[in-house]
Amino acid sequence: MAEHPHAQLVRRGYEAFERGDMDALRELMASDCTHHVPGSHPLSGDFKGVDAIVDMYGRLAAETNGTMRAELRSLLVDGRGHVVAVHHFSADRNGKHIDDEGAIIFRIVGDKATDLDECVEDIDRADEFWS
């Protein structure tokens, strides 16, 4: 059985993110897409528009000196425009290390991601790492 098109879109996004291919990521997101990052640290909040999202991804890479990894573990689809992507996240920053599970709930309209709601395993640990 073939993978659902929405799962394929999200999988391509994770692959582009791992390669640092921001042009490929731009192609997968609607121009007014929003990425919601949980927590109360300098990189949390709502990033509206593909430019703001790509800039935030660049900040994540810069803050971790390129050590950040998001290894896709599984994709869950509902066939109605939602994909839950479960991933393992690790990074080093300012002498700190984080090694956590996380997820992003994607909203897909047509063939573009329009909304990304990020969830983390331990929000306090994430806040401490990024602060």
Side-chain angles (χ1 to χ4, degrees):
M1 184 178 236
E3 187 173 52
H4 191 279
H6 294 161
Q8 291 174 353
L9 178 103
V10 172
R11 184 177 304 283
R12 287 195 317 269
Y14 271 83
E15 290 167 355
F17 185 86
E18 277 298 303
R19 291 190 314 270
D21 187 346
M22 296 301 118
D23 290 334
L25 279 172
R26 285 176 183 282
E27 293 298 315
L28 301 174
M29 291 184 276
S31 61
D32 62 346
C33 185
T34 303
H35 187 141
H36 309 276
V37 179
S40 57
H41 55 79
L43 292 170
S44 65
D46 297 327
F47 297 86
K48 178 83 169 162
V50 71
D51 290 336
I53 294 169
V54 168
D55 287 347
M56 182 263 292
Y57 293 165
R59 286 183 61 202
L60 294 174
E63 288 284 329
T64 63
N65 292 317
T67 64
M68 185 178 63
R69 297 288 174 263
E71 179 187 340
L72 185 61
R73 297 284 173 102
S74 64
L75 293 170
L76 310 167
V77 299
D78 71 354
R80 298 177 293 115
H82 299 97
V83 177
V84 177
V86 179
H87 59 259
H88 181 82
F89 173 81
S90 63
D92 296 301
R93 179 177 180 270
N94 297 335
K96 299 182 271 188
H97 180 75
I98 192 165
D99 200 349
D100 248 342
E101 299 299 312
I104 300 176
I105 300 118
F106 291 82
R107 173 75 174 139
I108 312 293
V109 175
D111 62 350
K112 302 278 186 182
T114 61
D115 200 68
L116 290 75
D117 277 311
E118 189 172 334
C119 300
V120 295
E121 181 177 35
D122 186 327
I123 201 160
D124 293 329
R125 186 168 40 225
D127 281 343
E128 191 279 324
F129 178 79
W130 292 110
S131 293

